[in-house]
């Protein structure tokens, strides 16, 4: 199995924007279930199977 890309190192400016998005979403006041759906959809659009799996698991843990 090949090693995953280190996004923070490969594209630090984009990774910073992702972190900014995540923090803005957490501070947005949206209910947690909707926050999970937003991050899940973003991962689907990005085509990241690892992130989709992670966000689905997080949403299930929180009862979504």
């Amino acid at each position: 199995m090949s090693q995953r890309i280190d996004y923070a190192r490969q594209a630090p400016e984009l990774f910073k924007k992702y972190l900014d998005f995540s923090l803005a979403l957490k501070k947005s006041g949206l209910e947690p279930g909707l926050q999970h759906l937003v991050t899940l959809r973003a991962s689907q659009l990005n085509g990241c199977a690892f992130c989709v799996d992670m966000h689905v698991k997080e949403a299930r843990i929180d009862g979504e």
Side-chain angles (χ1 to χ4, degrees):
M1 186 163 113
S2 62
Q3 194 169 20
R4 296 194 188 280
I5 296 172
D6 184 354
Y7 296 109
R9 226 159 113 195
Q10 291 288 353
E13 66 286 346
L14 293 176
F15 189 72
K16 169 82 169 85
K17 291 194 182 297
Y18 168 75
L19 291 177
D20 292 343
F21 165 75
S22 295
L23 288 172
L25 185 60
K26 286 182 193 318
K27 293 178 182 180
S28 69
L30 292 174
E31 60 186 63
L34 186 54
Q35 289 182 26
H36 285 302
L37 294 176
V38 168
T39 56
L40 176 58
R41 184 63 182 141
S43 295
Q44 289 173 329
L45 292 171
N46 289 331
C48 182
F50 173 81
C51 293
V52 167
D53 183 58
M54 174 182 63
H55 293 307
V56 166
K57 288 176 182 174
E58 290 173 344
R60 285 184 177 160
I61 287 170
D62 286 343
E64 188 61 38

